[in-house]
PDB file of all heavy atoms in Angstrom:
ATOM      1  N   GLU A  95     -31.923 -79.676 138.706  1.00  0.00           N
ATOM      2  CA  GLU A  95     -31.545 -79.417 140.104  1.00  0.00           C
ATOM      3  C   GLU A  95     -32.213 -78.065 140.536  1.00  0.00           C
ATOM      4  O   GLU A  95     -32.100 -77.081 139.819  1.00  0.00           O
ATOM      5  CB  GLU A  95     -30.030 -79.216 140.159  1.00  0.00           C
ATOM      6  CG  GLU A  95     -29.274 -80.463 139.725  1.00  0.00           C
ATOM      7  CD  GLU A  95     -27.825 -80.248 139.714  1.00  0.00           C
ATOM      8  OE1 GLU A  95     -27.306 -79.134 139.743  1.00  0.00           O
ATOM      9  OE2 GLU A  95     -27.101 -81.345 139.579  1.00  0.00           O
ATOM     10  N   PRO A  96     -33.012 -78.119 141.644  1.00  0.00           N
ATOM     11  CA  PRO A  96     -33.546 -76.868 142.258  1.00  0.00           C
ATOM     12  C   PRO A  96     -32.469 -75.999 142.641  1.00  0.00           C
ATOM     13  O   PRO A  96     -32.619 -74.715 142.548  1.00  0.00           O
ATOM     14  CB  PRO A  96     -34.442 -77.373 143.291  1.00  0.00           C
ATOM     15  CG  PRO A  96     -34.024 -78.774 143.575  1.00  0.00           C
ATOM     16  CD  PRO A  96     -33.336 -79.300 142.525  1.00  0.00           C
ATOM     17  N   VAL A  97     -31.387 -76.419 143.239  1.00  0.00           N
ATOM     18  CA  VAL A  97     -30.309 -75.749 143.694  1.00  0.00           C
ATOM     19  C   VAL A  97     -29.031 -76.636 143.464  1.00  0.00           C
ATOM     20  O   VAL A  97     -29.095 -77.863 143.236  1.00  0.00           O
ATOM     21  CB  VAL A  97     -30.282 -75.501 145.148  1.00  0.00           C
ATOM     22  CG1 VAL A  97     -31.287 -74.407 145.654  1.00  0.00           C
ATOM     23  CG2 VAL A  97     -30.372 -76.668 146.029  1.00  0.00           C
ATOM     24  N   PRO A  98     -27.907 -75.965 143.194  1.00  0.00           N
ATOM     25  CA  PRO A  98     -26.718 -76.799 142.810  1.00  0.00           C
ATOM     26  C   PRO A  98     -26.277 -77.914 143.739  1.00  0.00           C
ATOM     27  O   PRO A  98     -25.731 -78.893 143.366  1.00  0.00           O
ATOM     28  CB  PRO A  98     -25.594 -75.743 142.760  1.00  0.00           C
ATOM     29  CG  PRO A  98     -26.207 -74.471 142.558  1.00  0.00           C
ATOM     30  CD  PRO A  98     -27.625 -74.586 143.304  1.00  0.00           C
ATOM     31  N   GLU A  99     -26.613 -77.767 144.990  1.00  0.00           N
ATOM     32  CA  GLU A  99     -26.328 -78.853 146.027  1.00  0.00           C
ATOM     33  C   GLU A  99     -27.160 -80.030 146.097  1.00  0.00           C
ATOM     34  O   GLU A  99     -26.983 -80.960 146.717  1.00  0.00           O
ATOM     35  CB  GLU A  99     -26.261 -78.125 147.455  1.00  0.00           C
ATOM     36  CG  GLU A  99     -25.166 -77.196 147.605  1.00  0.00           C
ATOM     37  CD  GLU A  99     -25.591 -75.834 147.179  1.00  0.00           C
ATOM     38  OE1 GLU A  99     -26.985 -75.580 147.129  1.00  0.00           O
ATOM     39  OE2 GLU A  99     -24.862 -74.970 146.876  1.00  0.00           O
ATOM     40  N   VAL A 100     -28.319 -80.030 145.349  1.00  0.00           N
ATOM     41  CA  VAL A 100     -29.276 -81.044 145.379  1.00  0.00           C
ATOM     42  C   VAL A 100     -29.415 -81.814 143.929  1.00  0.00           C
ATOM     43  O   VAL A 100     -29.562 -81.113 142.957  1.00  0.00           O
ATOM     44  CB  VAL A 100     -30.632 -80.446 145.824  1.00  0.00           C
ATOM     45  CG1 VAL A 100     -31.767 -81.512 145.750  1.00  0.00           C
ATOM     46  CG2 VAL A 100     -30.594 -79.842 147.121  1.00  0.00           C
ATOM     47  N   THR A 101     -29.363 -83.032 144.026  1.00  0.00           N
ATOM     48  CA  THR A 101     -29.554 -83.838 142.777  1.00  0.00           C
ATOM     49  C   THR A 101     -30.895 -84.505 142.878  1.00  0.00           C
ATOM     50  O   THR A 101     -31.152 -85.189 143.936  1.00  0.00           O
ATOM     51  CB  THR A 101     -28.434 -84.964 142.581  1.00  0.00           C
ATOM     52  OG1 THR A 101     -27.138 -84.264 142.617  1.00  0.00           O
ATOM     53  CG2 THR A 101     -28.741 -85.757 141.490  1.00  0.00           C
ATOM     54  N   VAL A 102     -31.708 -84.348 141.945  1.00  0.00           N
ATOM     55  CA  VAL A 102     -33.047 -84.919 141.950  1.00  0.00           C
ATOM     56  C   VAL A 102     -33.186 -86.006 140.766  1.00  0.00           C
ATOM     57  O   VAL A 102     -32.880 -85.696 139.729  1.00  0.00           O
ATOM     58  CB  VAL A 102     -34.239 -83.762 141.722  1.00  0.00           C
ATOM     59  CG1 VAL A 102     -35.496 -84.472 141.835  1.00  0.00           C
ATOM     60  CG2 VAL A 102     -33.913 -82.750 142.732  1.00  0.00           C
ATOM     61  N   THR A 103     -33.700 -87.089 141.159  1.00  0.00           N
ATOM     62  CA  THR A 103     -33.944 -88.239 140.122  1.00  0.00           C
ATOM     63  C   THR A 103     -35.317 -88.820 140.447  1.00  0.00           C
ATOM     64  O   THR A 103     -35.935 -88.765 141.476  1.00  0.00           O
ATOM     65  CB  THR A 103     -32.873 -89.293 140.394  1.00  0.00           C
ATOM     66  OG1 THR A 103     -32.847 -89.930 141.665  1.00  0.00           O
ATOM     67  CG2 THR A 103     -31.442 -88.877 140.048  1.00  0.00           C
ATOM     68  N   THR A 104     -35.784 -89.499 139.414  1.00  0.00           N
ATOM     69  CA  THR A 104     -36.994 -90.299 139.424  1.00  0.00           C
ATOM     70  C   THR A 104     -36.859 -91.564 138.696  1.00  0.00           C
ATOM     71  O   THR A 104     -35.880 -91.765 137.880  1.00  0.00           O
ATOM     72  CB  THR A 104     -38.178 -89.395 138.905  1.00  0.00           C
ATOM     73  OG1 THR A 104     -39.340 -90.147 139.234  1.00  0.00           O
ATOM     74  CG2 THR A 104     -38.134 -89.234 137.449  1.00  0.00           C
ATOM     75  N   SER A 105     -37.696 -92.482 138.928  1.00  0.00           N
ATOM     76  CA  SER A 105     -37.648 -93.706 138.160  1.00  0.00           C
ATOM     77  C   SER A 105     -38.200 -93.585 136.750  1.00  0.00           C
ATOM     78  O   SER A 105     -39.214 -92.738 136.457  1.00  0.00           O
ATOM     79  CB  SER A 105     -38.304 -94.786 138.942  1.00  0.00           C
ATOM     80  OG  SER A 105     -39.749 -94.677 138.914  1.00  0.00           O
ATOM     81  N   PRO A 106     -37.828 -94.507 135.853  1.00  0.00           N
ATOM     82  CA  PRO A 106     -38.328 -94.474 134.588  1.00  0.00           C
ATOM     83  C   PRO A 106     -39.844 -94.769 134.547  1.00  0.00           C
ATOM     84  O   PRO A 106     -40.635 -94.327 133.767  1.00  0.00           O
ATOM     85  CB  PRO A 106     -37.550 -95.504 133.754  1.00  0.00           C
ATOM     86  CG  PRO A 106     -36.233 -95.579 134.513  1.00  0.00           C
ATOM     87  CD  PRO A 106     -36.556 -95.282 135.966  1.00  0.00           C
ATOM     88  N   ARG A 107     -40.244 -95.628 135.459  1.00  0.00           N
ATOM     89  CA  ARG A 107     -41.595 -96.017 135.664  1.00  0.00           C
ATOM     90  C   ARG A 107     -42.498 -94.851 135.976  1.00  0.00           C
ATOM     91  O   ARG A 107     -43.646 -94.672 135.477  1.00  0.00           O
ATOM     92  CB  ARG A 107     -41.790 -97.083 136.739  1.00  0.00           C
ATOM     93  CG  ARG A 107     -43.181 -97.539 136.963  1.00  0.00           C
ATOM     94  CD  ARG A 107     -43.289 -98.606 138.066  1.00  0.00           C
ATOM     95  NE  ARG A 107     -42.607 -99.831 137.516  1.00  0.00           N
ATOM     96  CZ  ARG A 107     -42.503-100.875 138.256  1.00  0.00           C
ATOM     97  NH1 ARG A 107     -42.887-101.002 139.500  1.00  0.00           N
ATOM     98  NH2 ARG A 107     -41.930-101.992 137.803  1.00  0.00           N
ATOM     99  N   SER A 108     -41.982 -93.970 136.836  1.00  0.00           N
ATOM    100  CA  SER A 108     -42.743 -92.689 137.098  1.00  0.00           C
ATOM    101  C   SER A 108     -42.933 -91.775 135.888  1.00  0.00           C
ATOM    102  O   SER A 108     -44.036 -91.223 135.692  1.00  0.00           O
ATOM    103  CB  SER A 108     -42.033 -91.888 138.232  1.00  0.00           C
ATOM    104  OG  SER A 108     -41.965 -92.679 139.396  1.00  0.00           O
TER     105      SER A 108
END
Side-chain angles (χ1 to χ4, degrees):
E95 301 172 346
V97 292
E99 297 84 22
V100 177
T101 301
V102 183
T103 62
T104 189
S105 68
R107 183 180 290 178
S108 296

